[in-house]
């Protein structure tokens, strides 16, 4: 299975920006980073995990309404890395952010579609 490691989390004031990274490795033989659907999820204490954004092998993206026009998901196939650029951060964005992957195409980008997860990186946004 693909191994995923998130980084880039931290503490920032409301209105600030952060860029999260997800480095991928251990691809199956015959497959590369570009063959995977990738996604970002987040979970705050006492709340359920929610979808933030996803990107398919063809580059198609989908965002949660709460982050649309503020966050941007992207990938660098040459670096085997997924990114989440987060701008205009709000206190409600505070959560543990997780990277997820599945070989092939995502349809809903919901968590049940993914079969590999990273350990998460913490994002804290203060007022």
């Amino acid at each position: 299975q693909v191994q995923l490691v998130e980084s880039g989390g931290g503490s920032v004031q409301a209105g600030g920006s952060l860029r999260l990274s997800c480095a991928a490795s251990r691809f199956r033989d015959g497959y590369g980073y570009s063959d995977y659907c990738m996604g970002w999820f987040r979970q705050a204490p006492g709340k359920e995990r929610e979808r933030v954004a996803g990107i398919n092998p063809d580059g198609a993206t989908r965002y949660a309404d709460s982050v649309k026009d503020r966050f941007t998901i992207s990938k660098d196939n040459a670096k085997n890395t997924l990114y989440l650029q987060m701008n205009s951060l709000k206190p409600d964005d505070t959560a543990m952010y997780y990277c997820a992957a599945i070989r092939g195409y995502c349809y809903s980008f919901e968590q049940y579609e993914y079969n590999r997860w990273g350990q998460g990186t913490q994002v804290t946004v203060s007022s």
Side-chain angles (χ1 to χ4, degrees), residues 39-51:
W40 288 100
F41 294 79
R42 66 186 183 186
Q43 186 169 25
K47 297 183 178 180
E48 296 182 345
R49 185 171 297 186
E50 64 174 337
R51 172 171 56 86

Side-chain angles (χ1 to χ4, degrees), residues 82-111:
L82 178 75
Y83 300 100
L84 184 68
Q85 179 65 48
M86 305 185 294
N87 298 325
S88 301
L89 283 163
K90 305 174 181 179
D92 286 347
D93 295 320
T94 296
M96 184 73 73
Y97 283 71
Y98 299 91
C99 176
I102 180 70
R103 180 176 62 83
Y105 201 87
C106 287
Y107 295 90
S108 69
F109 294 94
E110 296 291 353
Q111 59 182 318

Side-chain angles (χ1 to χ4, degrees), residues 17 27 36 39 61 63 66 69 96 98 101 104 106 108-109 118 120 125-126:
S17 299
F27 296 107
Y36 286 76
T61 59
Y63 297 89
S66 59
D69 298 325
M96 184 73 73
Y98 299 91
C106 287
S108 69
F109 294 94
V125 184
S126 60

Side-chain angles (χ1 to χ4, degrees), residues 1-97:
Q1 293 282 349
V2 171
Q3 184 179 71
L4 306 174
V5 180
E6 302 96 334
S7 63
S11 182
V12 64
Q13 292 184 336
S17 299
L18 286 172
R19 188 182 73 166
L20 306 184
S21 299
C22 173
S25 62
R26 296 182 180 272
F27 296 107
R28 295 178 62 182
D29 291 343
Y31 299 95
Y33 181 79
S34 62
D35 298 317
Y36 286 76
C37 169
M38 306 291 296
W40 288 100
F41 294 79
R42 66 186 183 186
Q43 186 169 25
K47 297 183 178 180
E48 296 182 345
R49 185 171 297 186
E50 64 174 337
R51 172 171 56 86
V52 176
I55 184 167
N56 262 321
D58 63 359
T61 59
R62 185 178 299 176
Y63 297 89
D65 290 341
S66 59
V67 307
K68 193 173 184 178
D69 298 325
R70 297 190 299 118
F71 292 8
T72 302
I73 188 171
S74 62
K75 58 180 179 178
D76 187 332
N77 291 334
K79 297 181 178 179
N80 294 338
T81 302
L82 178 75
Y83 300 100
L84 184 68
Q85 179 65 48
M86 305 185 294
N87 298 325
S88 301
L89 283 163
K90 305 174 181 179
D92 286 347
D93 295 320
T94 296
M96 184 73 73
Y97 283 71

